[in-house]
mmCIF file of all heavy atoms in Angstrom:
data_model
loop_
_atom_site.group_PDB
_atom_site.id
_atom_site.type_symbol
_atom_site.label_atom_id
_atom_site.label_comp_id
_atom_site.label_asym_id
_atom_site.label_seq_id
_atom_site.Cartn_x
_atom_site.Cartn_y
_atom_site.Cartn_z
ATOM 1 N N PRO A 117 -8.554 1.676 -2.864
ATOM 2 C CA PRO A 117 -7.448 1.926 -2.032
ATOM 3 C C PRO A 117 -7.739 1.603 -0.566
ATOM 4 O O PRO A 117 -7.883 2.429 0.257
ATOM 5 C CB PRO A 117 -7.386 3.490 -2.104
ATOM 6 C CG PRO A 117 -8.899 3.846 -2.294
ATOM 7 C CD PRO A 117 -9.531 2.710 -2.858
ATOM 8 N N PHE A 118 -7.966 0.273 -0.290
ATOM 9 C CA PHE A 118 -8.229 -0.199 1.033
ATOM 10 C C PHE A 118 -7.129 0.284 1.975
ATOM 11 O O PHE A 118 -5.924 -0.084 1.789
ATOM 12 C CB PHE A 118 -8.384 -1.677 1.171
ATOM 13 C CG PHE A 118 -8.558 -2.220 2.482
ATOM 14 C CD1 PHE A 118 -9.680 -1.898 3.307
ATOM 15 C CD2 PHE A 118 -7.530 -2.913 3.135
ATOM 16 C CE1 PHE A 118 -9.868 -2.431 4.524
ATOM 17 C CE2 PHE A 118 -7.658 -3.360 4.429
ATOM 18 C CZ PHE A 118 -8.881 -3.050 5.187
ATOM 19 N N LYS A 119 -7.491 0.924 3.069
ATOM 20 C CA LYS A 119 -6.530 1.311 4.091
ATOM 21 C C LYS A 119 -7.245 1.262 5.515
ATOM 22 O O LYS A 119 -8.206 1.957 5.745
ATOM 23 C CB LYS A 119 -6.124 2.738 3.901
ATOM 24 C CG LYS A 119 -5.227 3.038 2.554
ATOM 25 C CD LYS A 119 -4.874 4.445 2.512
ATOM 26 C CE LYS A 119 -4.040 4.702 1.245
ATOM 27 N NZ LYS A 119 -3.597 6.106 1.094
ATOM 28 N N PRO A 120 -6.802 0.312 6.319
ATOM 29 C CA PRO A 120 -7.395 0.210 7.688
ATOM 30 C C PRO A 120 -7.303 1.544 8.413
ATOM 31 O O PRO A 120 -6.333 2.265 8.427
ATOM 32 C CB PRO A 120 -6.487 -0.872 8.279
ATOM 33 C CG PRO A 120 -5.832 -1.599 7.205
ATOM 34 C CD PRO A 120 -5.620 -0.633 6.099
ATOM 35 N N GLY A 121 -8.346 1.855 9.073
ATOM 36 C CA GLY A 121 -8.431 3.141 9.783
ATOM 37 C C GLY A 121 -8.956 4.313 9.092
ATOM 38 O O GLY A 121 -9.302 5.264 9.688
ATOM 39 N N TYR A 122 -8.972 4.191 7.731
ATOM 40 C CA TYR A 122 -9.534 5.235 6.890
ATOM 41 C C TYR A 122 -11.032 5.021 6.796
ATOM 42 O O TYR A 122 -11.744 5.995 6.341
ATOM 43 C CB TYR A 122 -8.853 5.237 5.558
ATOM 44 C CG TYR A 122 -7.546 5.842 5.569
ATOM 45 C CD1 TYR A 122 -6.571 5.589 6.548
ATOM 46 C CD2 TYR A 122 -7.187 6.744 4.537
ATOM 47 C CE1 TYR A 122 -5.312 6.109 6.531
ATOM 48 C CE2 TYR A 122 -5.886 7.371 4.480
ATOM 49 C CZ TYR A 122 -5.020 7.077 5.600
ATOM 50 O OH TYR A 122 -3.710 7.618 5.515
ATOM 51 N N THR A 123 -11.489 3.881 7.115
ATOM 52 C CA THR A 123 -12.978 3.545 6.879
ATOM 53 C C THR A 123 -13.594 3.022 8.157
ATOM 54 O O THR A 123 -12.992 2.207 8.828
ATOM 55 C CB THR A 123 -13.222 2.577 5.686
ATOM 56 O OG1 THR A 123 -12.441 3.083 4.558
ATOM 57 C CG2 THR A 123 -14.717 2.448 5.342
ATOM 58 N N ASP A 124 -14.776 3.508 8.452
ATOM 59 C CA ASP A 124 -15.427 2.972 9.614
ATOM 60 C C ASP A 124 -16.302 1.717 9.194
ATOM 61 O O ASP A 124 -17.424 1.935 8.807
ATOM 62 C CB ASP A 124 -16.339 4.038 10.249
ATOM 63 C CG ASP A 124 -17.080 3.601 11.475
ATOM 64 O OD1 ASP A 124 -16.745 2.633 12.135
ATOM 65 O OD2 ASP A 124 -18.197 4.161 11.804
ATOM 66 N N TYR A 125 -15.758 0.643 9.298
ATOM 67 C CA TYR A 125 -16.513 -0.520 8.865
ATOM 68 C C TYR A 125 -16.827 -1.566 10.019
ATOM 69 O O TYR A 125 -16.126 -1.631 10.996
ATOM 70 C CB TYR A 125 -15.624 -1.287 7.810
ATOM 71 C CG TYR A 125 -14.214 -1.571 8.178
ATOM 72 C CD1 TYR A 125 -13.853 -2.735 8.963
ATOM 73 C CD2 TYR A 125 -13.158 -0.716 7.780
ATOM 74 C CE1 TYR A 125 -12.593 -2.890 9.344
ATOM 75 C CE2 TYR A 125 -11.892 -0.999 8.124
ATOM 76 C CZ TYR A 125 -11.520 -2.088 8.891
ATOM 77 O OH TYR A 125 -10.232 -2.259 9.282
ATOM 78 N N GLN A 126 -17.817 -2.301 9.787
ATOM 79 C CA GLN A 126 -18.367 -3.325 10.599
ATOM 80 C C GLN A 126 -17.853 -4.741 10.220
ATOM 81 O O GLN A 126 -17.738 -5.670 11.078
ATOM 82 C CB GLN A 126 -19.874 -3.400 10.644
ATOM 83 C CG GLN A 126 -20.616 -2.085 10.937
ATOM 84 C CD GLN A 126 -22.072 -2.315 10.614
ATOM 85 O OE1 GLN A 126 -22.396 -2.362 9.465
ATOM 86 N NE2 GLN A 126 -22.921 -2.310 11.676
ATOM 87 N N LEU A 127 -17.614 -4.878 8.944
ATOM 88 C CA LEU A 127 -17.154 -6.066 8.374
ATOM 89 C C LEU A 127 -16.107 -5.904 7.341
ATOM 90 O O LEU A 127 -15.820 -4.743 6.911
ATOM 91 C CB LEU A 127 -18.406 -6.764 7.640
ATOM 92 C CG LEU A 127 -19.704 -7.030 8.412
ATOM 93 C CD1 LEU A 127 -20.883 -6.830 7.479
ATOM 94 C CD2 LEU A 127 -19.686 -8.517 8.894
ATOM 95 N N LEU A 128 -15.446 -6.947 6.946
ATOM 96 C CA LEU A 128 -14.506 -6.980 5.853
ATOM 97 C C LEU A 128 -14.909 -8.053 4.781
ATOM 98 O O LEU A 128 -15.611 -8.919 5.216
ATOM 99 C CB LEU A 128 -13.027 -7.123 6.295
ATOM 100 C CG LEU A 128 -12.419 -6.067 7.097
ATOM 101 C CD1 LEU A 128 -11.058 -6.452 7.655
ATOM 102 C CD2 LEU A 128 -12.300 -4.691 6.240
ATOM 103 N N THR A 129 -14.518 -7.734 3.636
ATOM 104 C CA THR A 129 -14.976 -8.712 2.473
ATOM 105 C C THR A 129 -13.666 -8.981 1.612
ATOM 106 O O THR A 129 -12.843 -8.124 1.498
ATOM 107 C CB THR A 129 -16.033 -8.025 1.681
ATOM 108 O OG1 THR A 129 -17.025 -7.511 2.533
ATOM 109 C CG2 THR A 129 -16.585 -8.931 0.631
ATOM 110 N N THR A 130 -13.731 -10.157 1.059
ATOM 111 C CA THR A 130 -12.682 -10.528 0.156
ATOM 112 C C THR A 130 -13.096 -11.607 -0.890
ATOM 113 O O THR A 130 -14.018 -12.491 -0.553
ATOM 114 C CB THR A 130 -11.426 -11.024 0.811
ATOM 115 O OG1 THR A 130 -10.328 -11.205 -0.110
ATOM 116 C CG2 THR A 130 -11.676 -12.385 1.516
#
Side-chain angles (χ1 to χ4, degrees):
F118 174 71
K119 295 181 180 180
Y122 281 45
T123 307
D124 180 23
Y125 50 82
Q126 304 167 289
L127 301 146
L128 289 173
T129 310
T130 188

